[in-house]
Every structure is written in structure tokens, then in C-alpha cells.
Amino acid sequence: MVCLIVLIGESAMGQGASLSPYDLMDSYLEKRASYESSSTKKIADDKQKELDRLVKVLEDNAPNSYEYHLVKYINGNYDVSLKRHLFKAYELKPDEREVEREMFGYYALVGDKIKQKEFAKLIEPTYSKNTLNYYKLLASNPKVKTLFLSGEADAYPLLVLQSLGKVRGNIHLVNLDFLVNETYRLNAQKKIGMSNVQFLGQERMFINTALSALMADAFISTTVSQRYIREPADFCFLTGLHYQYHCPNQLEELTKFWKDGQQNLNGLTLNSRAEKSLYSNFLPPLLTLYKIKIANGEKDLALRKDIIVLAKKVSKEEKVEEVLKAYDQIE
């Protein structure tokens, strides 16, 4: 492996720590993840400059490396004019999981269904059965017409399933990460039937406008930060693993979600912290359903039992018990 001499702070080249292209890529990806915000898709200017600096170090020291080409593309923030770098990275190391994911994302972004399916087959095995079952349930409600997803981590499993025909193909999946790309944004706006609104830096306005155009056809994954839906929050009803805008009957939707979800939850064994975090998203809608039932004078012991069983599986038993006790006091 090629070894690089990396500039640290103001020290001269050759006096800093020795890092490989892989180390630099890893540092870049780690910093990029830490720079992500829950309220905007825009990376702060000073932080973007630091990411640009790491890319420049790679370019100066290993311009022909897989790591440079992959990071160069990622650093473009969905700028498809940099696709040659992505394709070069794939040419150099076609079996690397990271570049396979980026290739899948690229074809999803530009709407190439054939190539998207090709790479969906490659990356589907990287997701656990529990993860894929979660996203199948997220998209299972036949009323879902447009579904907003928080970003790559949330959108890719569902896009993979849709590419392979394992969830309905007529759901418009809107990946908030992709909306920073102007072509994708304009195409999304056209499908939604909304007025022209910039996204980057005006995310809340964009989403509020989109929801107003879609009305009850709009669903938002609960993994989307509530900061993005602050304005329309009073009209966004928790109906499962998503919110529905202007939901006509929340109790009916939550009851159906509970019944359908039992097939996933019965006998469920969670194998990682990530799976526990994902499946903890079942708790808010089930707790909401329990609260509504209590307020209507119905104490559903079967639902209460299911909530406690799930809480144990996701390591949130103590907190959930406190919430349930508080709800039980409602008269």
C-alpha cells in the first residue's frame, strides 16, 4: 500500500504523521459524518473547507488511487459532473462495498432503473433481514403515494427493495440527500406538483410546500428529523413508521399498523445495536395508540404487553414502563 506524508497543521510536508490513502479516506468519511446536521443538508463552509483539504492531500499524493477518486466524487455532494471519478474508483476496486453503494446511489439519483437494479442485487446482501423487513413494513401501507426519507441510510434499503420488486414500484421515494442535486429536485417537484422552491438552505420551506401540495398522499419517515417539519407539525400525524399529512383517522391507521407489525415483532431477534435503534421506531406509534385508547376509556392489555416485549428487545424497558404508567393514570 502506498504511504503518504500528510501535512498536519502548519508543519512542513515530511514532518507530519504518515498516513495511507485508506487512512485519509477513512478520516474524510468520519469527519463528513460528524459534520452532518439534523436541520440542514448544507455542510458549514469552514467544515467543507476541511473536507476539501483532505481531498487535496489525496489528490497531491495519490491521484491515481481508488481512495482519491471515490472521495473526490463523494465530496462533490451529488454533483454528477464528477461521475468519472466514481467510475474510476469502481474500475479500480469493483468489489468494495463503499463504491458499490455509491454506484447504486448514482444510478438512483439519475434515474437509470436498469443499472440501479444491477447494483441493488450487489448491495442487498449487505442489509440484514431485520433491516429489510423494517423497510418493507415502512412502505406497506397502500395509501402511501409519496414517502420522504431522511437520507442515504434511510433511503437506500427501500430503494434497493423497490428496484428488486419487493415493495410497490408506484411509491415516489424522495431522498432528502438527493434533493441537493438540482435535476433531482426539479424532477421531484414535477412529480409532487408543487411550486418551484430551492431546497438547500431552505429545507423546511421546501418540505412544507411539498406537503401542502400532496395533502393526505404525503408520508414522512419518522427517521426524518422533526426540525424539517416544524411548520406543518400540527398536521403531521404519527401513523406507524411514518407521519401522514392530514391523516383522516389516526386511530384506524395506528390499529392497522399494530396488527400488521405483529408479524414482524413476534419472534423478533435483534442482532446489533443498529437493529435495536431501528426497531425502537416502533415504540412511539404503539405508545401513541395505547394513549389514544386509554383516553377513549379502553385499556388494551394485549397492546400493553406487546409494547413491553418490544421495549425489552430494544433495551428501552425502563423508560417505556415509566411512560406506560403515566398513561395508565389518564382518566
Side-chain angles (χ1 to χ4, degrees), residues 40-57:
T40 180
K41 294 298 180 179
K42 180 176 174 58
I43 297 175
D45 290 343
D46 60 329
K47 293 176 179 177
Q48 185 60 58
K49 286 180 180 178
E50 171 59 15
L51 295 177
D52 294 344
R53 186 190 70 82
L54 288 173
V55 176
K56 187 64 167 62
V57 172

Side-chain angles (χ1 to χ4, degrees), residues 178-240:
F178 284 176
L179 283 170
V180 304
N181 177 283
E182 284 297 283
T183 301
Y184 181 89
R185 177 182 68 82
L186 292 171
N187 287 337
Q189 284 182 170
K190 185 176 180 180
K191 288 183 180 180
I192 292 169
M194 61 182 284
S195 57
N196 184 33
V197 179
Q198 291 298 315
F199 177 74
L200 194 60
Q202 300 184 59
E203 293 91 345
R204 285 161 51 186
M205 182 184 295
F206 180 96
I207 292 175
N208 192 26
T209 305
L211 298 184
S212 297
L214 291 164
M215 297 301 288
D217 287 340
F219 290 75
I220 307 105
S221 170
T222 56
T223 55
V224 173
S225 171
Q226 292 187 10
R227 297 184 183 186
Y228 286 107
I229 55 173
R230 185 174 299 168
E231 283 76 16
D234 290 343
F235 304 102
C236 294
F237 294 86
L238 185 61
T239 53

